[in-house]
Amino acid sequence: MAETGVDMGMKSLAILILSAAFALSSYAQGGQQQTTANYWLANAPQNVGESVTVNVSGAAPSSLIADDGYVCFECDTVGNDGNAGGKIKVMVPVGQTGAFMEKYAAAKGKGAPLTANLRVYTWASKAQEYVLVLGD
């Protein structure tokens, strides 16, 4: 049986609506993901040297010893929806550690935004890791 113009029009409209809904959903998820460590670590190679923002929901000094006048913090991150988004190390200049701790150590809910430069850091052991660096 041949489809009428109305049937074809309805199918086209349904496809258009579903496509728009999928695109909007993907856009919304991408926006939420970009506030997390998981997003930036997964996309690190193409973003090294860029300034990025994560929502920090907690921070604690790391046991790793950083060089060059920095203190390393291990930071928990969250998406815009408040869901956990992984951890990332943040290198903080020694003179800014008190203010950093005050702002981020007890961040709750959606966390507090932190903007820093995404870098490759080489530890004394020669191991390399993606980290965020403040003040660089």
Side-chain angles (χ1 to χ4, degrees):
M1 200 160 111
E3 291 185 346
T4 66
V6 172
D7 291 337
M8 289 176 61
M10 292 299 284
K11 282 184 180 179
S12 296
L13 180 60
I15 290 170
L16 180 63
I17 290 171
L18 289 173
S19 297
F22 178 77
L24 184 59
S25 171
S26 296
Y27 176 77
Q29 288 176 354
Q32 291 174 350
Q33 298 284 327
Q34 290 182 7
T35 62
T36 66
N38 290 342
Y39 176 86
W40 291 112
L41 292 173
N43 294 287
Q46 64 267 29
N47 290 292
V48 168
E50 299 293 323
S51 178
V52 303
T53 301
V54 293
N55 287 335
V56 175
S57 59
S62 169
S63 61
L64 297 171
I65 298 172
D67 300 330
D68 306 324
Y70 285 88
V71 175
C72 180
F73 286 84
E74 184 83 24
C75 295
D76 295 310
T77 65
V78 294
N80 288 330
D81 58 4
N83 289 328
K87 294 178 180 278
I88 193 164
K89 289 181 178 65
V90 179
M91 308 300 282
V92 179
V94 171
Q96 296 178 21
T97 58
F100 183 87
M101 283 293 294
E102 187 176 314
K103 183 172 184 178
Y104 297 108
K108 300 288 181 201
K110 289 188 177 184
L114 167 70
T115 301
N117 292 315
L118 183 62
R119 300 278 187 224
V120 175
Y121 189 82
T122 304
W123 298 101
S125 67
K126 303 297 182 214
Q128 292 187 319
E129 183 174 15
Y130 295 111
V131 300
L132 296 178
V133 180
L134 284 178
D136 131 292

mmCIF file with all atom_site columns, all heavy atoms in Angstrom, residues 97-110:
data_model
loop_
_atom_site.group_PDB
_atom_site.id
_atom_site.type_symbol
_atom_site.label_atom_id
_atom_site.label_alt_id
_atom_site.label_comp_id
_atom_site.label_asym_id
_atom_site.label_entity_id
_atom_site.label_seq_id
_atom_site.pdbx_PDB_ins_code
_atom_site.Cartn_x
_atom_site.Cartn_y
_atom_site.Cartn_z
_atom_site.occupancy
_atom_site.B_iso_or_equiv
_atom_site.pdbx_formal_charge
_atom_site.auth_seq_id
_atom_site.auth_comp_id
_atom_site.auth_asym_id
_atom_site.auth_atom_id
_atom_site.pdbx_PDB_model_num
ATOM 1   N N   . THR A 1 97  ? 47.931 28.168 49.279 1.00 0.00 ? 97  THR A N   1
ATOM 2   C CA  . THR A 1 97  ? 47.336 26.934 49.807 1.00 0.00 ? 97  THR A CA  1
ATOM 3   C C   . THR A 1 97  ? 46.271 27.186 50.877 1.00 0.00 ? 97  THR A C   1
ATOM 4   O O   . THR A 1 97  ? 45.275 26.478 50.919 1.00 0.00 ? 97  THR A O   1
ATOM 5   C CB  . THR A 1 97  ? 48.419 25.978 50.356 1.00 0.00 ? 97  THR A CB  1
ATOM 6   O OG1 . THR A 1 97  ? 49.167 26.651 51.372 1.00 0.00 ? 97  THR A OG1 1
ATOM 7   C CG2 . THR A 1 97  ? 49.323 25.489 49.256 1.00 0.00 ? 97  THR A CG2 1
ATOM 8   N N   . GLY A 1 98  ? 46.475 28.182 51.723 1.00 0.00 ? 98  GLY A N   1
ATOM 9   C CA  . GLY A 1 98  ? 45.481 28.472 52.764 1.00 0.00 ? 98  GLY A CA  1
ATOM 10  C C   . GLY A 1 98  ? 44.145 28.875 52.161 1.00 0.00 ? 98  GLY A C   1
ATOM 11  O O   . GLY A 1 98  ? 43.094 28.347 52.545 1.00 0.00 ? 98  GLY A O   1
ATOM 12  N N   . ALA A 1 99  ? 44.164 29.801 51.232 1.00 0.00 ? 99  ALA A N   1
ATOM 13  C CA  . ALA A 1 99  ? 42.929 30.250 50.577 1.00 0.00 ? 99  ALA A CA  1
ATOM 14  C C   . ALA A 1 99  ? 42.301 29.114 49.783 1.00 0.00 ? 99  ALA A C   1
ATOM 15  O O   . ALA A 1 99  ? 41.069 28.961 49.757 1.00 0.00 ? 99  ALA A O   1
ATOM 16  C CB  . ALA A 1 99  ? 43.227 31.434 49.660 1.00 0.00 ? 99  ALA A CB  1
ATOM 17  N N   . PHE A 1 100 ? 43.135 28.299 49.149 1.00 0.00 ? 100 PHE A N   1
ATOM 18  C CA  . PHE A 1 100 ? 42.629 27.159 48.376 1.00 0.00 ? 100 PHE A CA  1
ATOM 19  C C   . PHE A 1 100 ? 41.894 26.187 49.299 1.00 0.00 ? 100 PHE A C   1
ATOM 20  O O   . PHE A 1 100 ? 40.777 25.760 48.997 1.00 0.00 ? 100 PHE A O   1
ATOM 21  C CB  . PHE A 1 100 ? 43.786 26.452 47.659 1.00 0.00 ? 100 PHE A CB  1
ATOM 22  C CG  . PHE A 1 100 ? 43.347 25.313 46.789 1.00 0.00 ? 100 PHE A CG  1
ATOM 23  C CD1 . PHE A 1 100 ? 42.966 25.541 45.484 1.00 0.00 ? 100 PHE A CD1 1
ATOM 24  C CD2 . PHE A 1 100 ? 43.327 24.009 47.275 1.00 0.00 ? 100 PHE A CD2 1
ATOM 25  C CE1 . PHE A 1 100 ? 42.557 24.491 44.671 1.00 0.00 ? 100 PHE A CE1 1
ATOM 26  C CE2 . PHE A 1 100 ? 42.923 22.959 46.481 1.00 0.00 ? 100 PHE A CE2 1
ATOM 27  C CZ  . PHE A 1 100 ? 42.539 23.203 45.170 1.00 0.00 ? 100 PHE A CZ  1
ATOM 28  N N   . MET A 1 101 ? 42.519 25.844 50.416 1.00 0.00 ? 101 MET A N   1
ATOM 29  C CA  . MET A 1 101 ? 41.890 24.924 51.381 1.00 0.00 ? 101 MET A CA  1
ATOM 30  C C   . MET A 1 101 ? 40.585 25.485 51.905 1.00 0.00 ? 101 MET A C   1
ATOM 31  O O   . MET A 1 101 ? 39.592 24.768 52.013 1.00 0.00 ? 101 MET A O   1
ATOM 32  C CB  . MET A 1 101 ? 42.844 24.629 52.541 1.00 0.00 ? 101 MET A CB  1
ATOM 33  C CG  . MET A 1 101 ? 43.931 23.646 52.214 1.00 0.00 ? 101 MET A CG  1
ATOM 34  S SD  . MET A 1 101 ? 43.323 21.978 51.912 1.00 0.00 ? 101 MET A SD  1
ATOM 35  C CE  . MET A 1 101 ? 42.707 21.537 53.511 1.00 0.00 ? 101 MET A CE  1
ATOM 36  N N   . GLU A 1 102 ? 40.588 26.758 52.244 1.00 0.00 ? 102 GLU A N   1
ATOM 37  C CA  . GLU A 1 102 ? 39.379 27.382 52.779 1.00 0.00 ? 102 GLU A CA  1
ATOM 38  C C   . GLU A 1 102 ? 38.223 27.304 51.781 1.00 0.00 ? 102 GLU A C   1
ATOM 39  O O   . GLU A 1 102 ? 37.089 27.036 52.153 1.00 0.00 ? 102 GLU A O   1
ATOM 40  C CB  . GLU A 1 102 ? 39.668 28.844 53.128 1.00 0.00 ? 102 GLU A CB  1
ATOM 41  C CG  . GLU A 1 102 ? 38.531 29.535 53.846 1.00 0.00 ? 102 GLU A CG  1
ATOM 42  C CD  . GLU A 1 102 ? 38.918 30.941 54.254 1.00 0.00 ? 102 GLU A CD  1
ATOM 43  O OE1 . GLU A 1 102 ? 40.033 31.121 54.787 1.00 0.00 ? 102 GLU A OE1 1
ATOM 44  O OE2 . GLU A 1 102 ? 38.101 31.849 54.041 1.00 0.00 ? 102 GLU A OE2 1
ATOM 45  N N   . LYS A 1 103 ? 38.516 27.518 50.525 1.00 0.00 ? 103 LYS A N   1
ATOM 46  C CA  . LYS A 1 103 ? 37.461 27.540 49.512 1.00 0.00 ? 103 LYS A CA  1
ATOM 47  C C   . LYS A 1 103 ? 37.017 26.151 49.074 1.00 0.00 ? 103 LYS A C   1
ATOM 48  O O   . LYS A 1 103 ? 35.827 25.905 48.887 1.00 0.00 ? 103 LYS A O   1
ATOM 49  C CB  . LYS A 1 103 ? 37.930 28.330 48.292 1.00 0.00 ? 103 LYS A CB  1
ATOM 50  C CG  . LYS A 1 103 ? 36.871 28.466 47.221 1.00 0.00 ? 103 LYS A CG  1
ATOM 51  C CD  . LYS A 1 103 ? 37.294 29.416 46.133 1.00 0.00 ? 103 LYS A CD  1
ATOM 52  C CE  . LYS A 1 103 ? 36.162 29.620 45.121 1.00 0.00 ? 103 LYS A CE  1
ATOM 53  N NZ  . LYS A 1 103 ? 36.546 30.568 44.081 1.00 0.00 ? 103 LYS A NZ  1
ATOM 54  N N   . TYR A 1 104 ? 37.948 25.216 48.911 1.00 0.00 ? 104 TYR A N   1
ATOM 55  C CA  . TYR A 1 104 ? 37.616 23.943 48.266 1.00 0.00 ? 104 TYR A CA  1
ATOM 56  C C   . TYR A 1 104 ? 37.570 22.718 49.170 1.00 0.00 ? 104 TYR A C   1
ATOM 57  O O   . TYR A 1 104 ? 36.964 21.716 48.801 1.00 0.00 ? 104 TYR A O   1
ATOM 58  C CB  . TYR A 1 104 ? 38.587 23.671 47.119 1.00 0.00 ? 104 TYR A CB  1
ATOM 59  C CG  . TYR A 1 104 ? 38.495 24.695 46.026 1.00 0.00 ? 104 TYR A CG  1
ATOM 60  C CD1 . TYR A 1 104 ? 39.505 25.641 45.842 1.00 0.00 ? 104 TYR A CD1 1
ATOM 61  C CD2 . TYR A 1 104 ? 37.398 24.743 45.185 1.00 0.00 ? 104 TYR A CD2 1
ATOM 62  C CE1 . TYR A 1 104 ? 39.418 26.591 44.846 1.00 0.00 ? 104 TYR A CE1 1
ATOM 63  C CE2 . TYR A 1 104 ? 37.298 25.689 44.178 1.00 0.00 ? 104 TYR A CE2 1
ATOM 64  C CZ  . TYR A 1 104 ? 38.314 26.614 44.013 1.00 0.00 ? 104 TYR A CZ  1
ATOM 65  O OH  . TYR A 1 104 ? 38.221 27.557 43.030 1.00 0.00 ? 104 TYR A OH  1
ATOM 66  N N   . ALA A 1 105 ? 38.203 22.748 50.337 1.00 0.00 ? 105 ALA A N   1
ATOM 67  C CA  . ALA A 1 105 ? 38.270 21.545 51.165 1.00 0.00 ? 105 ALA A CA  1
ATOM 68  C C   . ALA A 1 105 ? 36.889 21.063 51.605 1.00 0.00 ? 105 ALA A C   1
ATOM 69  O O   . ALA A 1 105 ? 36.649 19.865 51.688 1.00 0.00 ? 105 ALA A O   1
ATOM 70  C CB  . ALA A 1 105 ? 39.148 21.785 52.386 1.00 0.00 ? 105 ALA A CB  1
ATOM 71  N N   . ALA A 1 106 ? 35.990 21.976 51.868 1.00 0.00 ? 106 ALA A N   1
ATOM 72  C CA  . ALA A 1 106 ? 34.663 21.579 52.352 1.00 0.00 ? 106 ALA A CA  1
ATOM 73  C C   . ALA A 1 106 ? 33.552 21.977 51.387 1.00 0.00 ? 106 ALA A C   1
ATOM 74  O O   . ALA A 1 106 ? 32.407 22.131 51.798 1.00 0.00 ? 106 ALA A O   1
ATOM 75  C CB  . ALA A 1 106 ? 34.420 22.205 53.721 1.00 0.00 ? 106 ALA A CB  1
ATOM 76  N N   . ALA A 1 107 ? 33.854 22.123 50.111 1.00 0.00 ? 107 ALA A N   1
ATOM 77  C CA  . ALA A 1 107 ? 32.823 22.486 49.134 1.00 0.00 ? 107 ALA A CA  1
ATOM 78  C C   . ALA A 1 107 ? 31.746 21.404 49.118 1.00 0.00 ? 107 ALA A C   1
ATOM 79  O O   . ALA A 1 107 ? 32.045 20.224 49.173 1.00 0.00 ? 107 ALA A O   1
ATOM 80  C CB  . ALA A 1 107 ? 33.440 22.661 47.752 1.00 0.00 ? 107 ALA A CB  1
ATOM 81  N N   . LYS A 1 108 ? 30.497 21.808 49.026 1.00 0.00 ? 108 LYS A N   1
ATOM 82  C CA  . LYS A 1 108 ? 29.374 20.863 49.084 1.00 0.00 ? 108 LYS A CA  1
ATOM 83  C C   . LYS A 1 108 ? 28.495 20.987 47.848 1.00 0.00 ? 108 LYS A C   1
ATOM 84  O O   . LYS A 1 108 ? 28.557 21.957 47.108 1.00 0.00 ? 108 LYS A O   1
ATOM 85  C CB  . LYS A 1 108 ? 28.509 21.138 50.325 1.00 0.00 ? 108 LYS A CB  1
ATOM 86  C CG  . LYS A 1 108 ? 29.244 21.015 51.628 1.00 0.00 ? 108 LYS A CG  1
ATOM 87  C CD  . LYS A 1 108 ? 29.556 19.587 51.943 1.00 0.00 ? 108 LYS A CD  1
ATOM 88  C CE  . LYS A 1 108 ? 30.266 19.490 53.276 1.00 0.00 ? 108 LYS A CE  1
ATOM 89  N NZ  . LYS A 1 108 ? 30.999 18.312 53.465 1.00 0.00 ? 108 LYS A NZ  1
ATOM 90  N N   . GLY A 1 109 ? 27.622 19.992 47.665 1.00 0.00 ? 109 GLY A N   1
ATOM 91  C CA  . GLY A 1 109 ? 26.638 20.047 46.580 1.00 0.00 ? 109 GLY A CA  1
ATOM 92  C C   . GLY A 1 109 ? 27.267 20.071 45.207 1.00 0.00 ? 109 GLY A C   1
ATOM 93  O O   . GLY A 1 109 ? 28.002 19.170 44.840 1.00 0.00 ? 109 GLY A O   1
ATOM 94  N N   . LYS A 1 110 ? 27.018 21.141 44.490 1.00 0.00 ? 110 LYS A N   1
ATOM 95  C CA  . LYS A 1 110 ? 27.555 21.256 43.141 1.00 0.00 ? 110 LYS A CA  1
ATOM 96  C C   . LYS A 1 110 ? 29.020 21.630 43.138 1.00 0.00 ? 110 LYS A C   1
ATOM 97  O O   . LYS A 1 110 ? 29.662 21.651 42.106 1.00 0.00 ? 110 LYS A O   1
ATOM 98  C CB  . LYS A 1 110 ? 26.765 22.297 42.348 1.00 0.00 ? 110 LYS A CB  1
ATOM 99  C CG  . LYS A 1 110 ? 25.367 21.838 41.999 1.00 0.00 ? 110 LYS A CG  1
ATOM 100 C CD  . LYS A 1 110 ? 24.716 22.801 41.059 1.00 0.00 ? 110 LYS A CD  1
ATOM 101 C CE  . LYS A 1 110 ? 23.347 22.279 40.672 1.00 0.00 ? 110 LYS A CE  1
ATOM 102 N NZ  . LYS A 1 110 ? 22.704 23.106 39.693 1.00 0.00 ? 110 LYS A NZ  1
#
